[in-house]
Amino acid sequence: MNAQSSSSAIQLYGVVLSGHTHRVQLFLNLLGLPFEFINVNLASGENHSAAFLAMSPFGEVPVLRDGDVVLTDSSAILVYLASRYDRSGRWLPRDPVAAATVQRWLSNASGKIAYGPCAVRLVKLFGKSLDYDTAAAISLRVLAAMELELSEKKFALGDQVSIADVAAFSYIEHVPEGGISLAPYPHIRAWLDRVSALPGFVAMPASARPAA
Ligand SMILES: N[C@@H](CCC(=O)N[C@@H](CS)C(=O)NCC(=O)O)C(=O)O
């Protein structure tokens, strides 16, 4: 595992082209928290080493280490970082409806976005043997629902950005790499622009591999 920056209290184990990793990397930057990025080589199976499985039983990135705390699952990590480091409470509000809305978006990020926009990109860029047509159909349903919801508000919670937006951002922005155009979705594109304009924003790089 290769560390790519100087030693820091928070360590993020991940992959630069992983949207699940990028969500966490993005939120750490939005919070202004210094961290060390440790690259995990999935191609060589480093994620199945005993050392990595001890941190991440499913062999998945991202993993966050913060002192004695070791966490997997990008949504869980976002909740942890917001709860621990955002004193304003704005990234993960306690208001019942707002909290439920954030949870709904986190669930979509772990469910429909993973099985749709993430999956089409895995097929086109990384040659994963997943059912592309099914993933594309899920993607179109996700995009239609988000387009409708974002036609009425700036962010998932209205005027206030939250971890809901962070969780959804990476794979929606990169869904064209999976062969699905964002041209028909002006409200989603405006939302992507708003998230991209946040202080501290960092982009996930475009893949060097052309989408087939
Ligand atoms: N539910 C997990 C999913 C993470 C995930 O799917 N990670 C992928 C990379 S994007 C992974 O590590 N896959 C392992 C592999 O390809 O062997 C999360 O939200 O963090």
Side-chain angles (χ1 to χ4, degrees):
M1 287 176 261
N2 295 327
Q4 292 187 347
S5 66
S6 60
S7 171
S8 165
I10 296 179
Q11 295 174 313
L12 172 60
Y13 295 79
V15 172
V16 170
L17 292 180
S18 151
H20 290 95
T21 300
H22 178 256
R23 292 170 188 169
V24 177
Q25 187 182 4
L26 171 57
F27 193 43
L28 285 163
N29 279 281
L30 293 171
L31 289 176
L33 292 171
F35 65 98
E36 178 184 11
F37 190 97
I38 299 168
N39 192 58
V40 180
N41 190 335
L42 298 186
S44 72
E46 198 175 11
N47 53 321
H48 295 297
S49 68
F52 192 79
L53 290 172
M55 297 190 295
S56 177
F58 296 127
E60 292 176 342
V61 293
V63 174
L64 186 97
R65 185 189 288 280
D66 185 10
D68 292 337
V69 176
V70 178
L71 293 170
T72 57
D73 190 274
S74 55
S75 293
I77 295 169
L78 295 181
V79 166
Y80 168 80
L81 290 172
S83 306
R84 175 137 197 189
Y85 291 108
D86 169 33
R87 296 214 174 109
S88 75
R90 69 190 177 116
W91 289 98
L92 180 54
R94 291 183 168 215
D95 168 79
V97 174
T101 302
V102 169
Q103 183 55 56
R104 178 167 59 80
W105 278 56
L106 295 181
S107 295
N108 284 341
S110 300
K112 293 182 180 69
I113 289 177
Y115 297 119
C118 170
V120 290
R121 186 169 167 269
L122 284 175
V123 173
K124 293 286 187 187
L125 288 185
F126 303 107
K128 291 274 180 183
S129 54
L130 300 168
D131 181 344
Y132 180 80
D133 290 344
T134 299
I138 295 170
S139 299
L140 295 179
R141 289 178 59 204
V142 168
L143 293 169
M146 286 186 73
E147 179 69 7
L148 187 62
E149 188 166 352
L150 290 167
S151 69
E152 297 171 349
K153 52 193 182 183
K154 289 184 181 169
F155 298 107
L157 293 182
D159 290 340
Q160 179 59 57
V161 69
S162 70
I163 60 171
D165 305 284
V166 177
F169 178 87
S170 314
Y171 285 121
I172 298 300
E173 192 194 35
H174 284 258
V175 73
E177 291 179 338
I180 295 186
S181 172
L182 286 171
Y185 308 104
H187 297 296
I188 290 177
R189 286 187 280 110
W191 167 76
L192 292 171
D193 288 345
R194 283 192 285 275
V195 174
S196 303
L198 294 169
F201 175 83
V202 287
M204 181 164 74
S207 172
R209 296 182 223 189

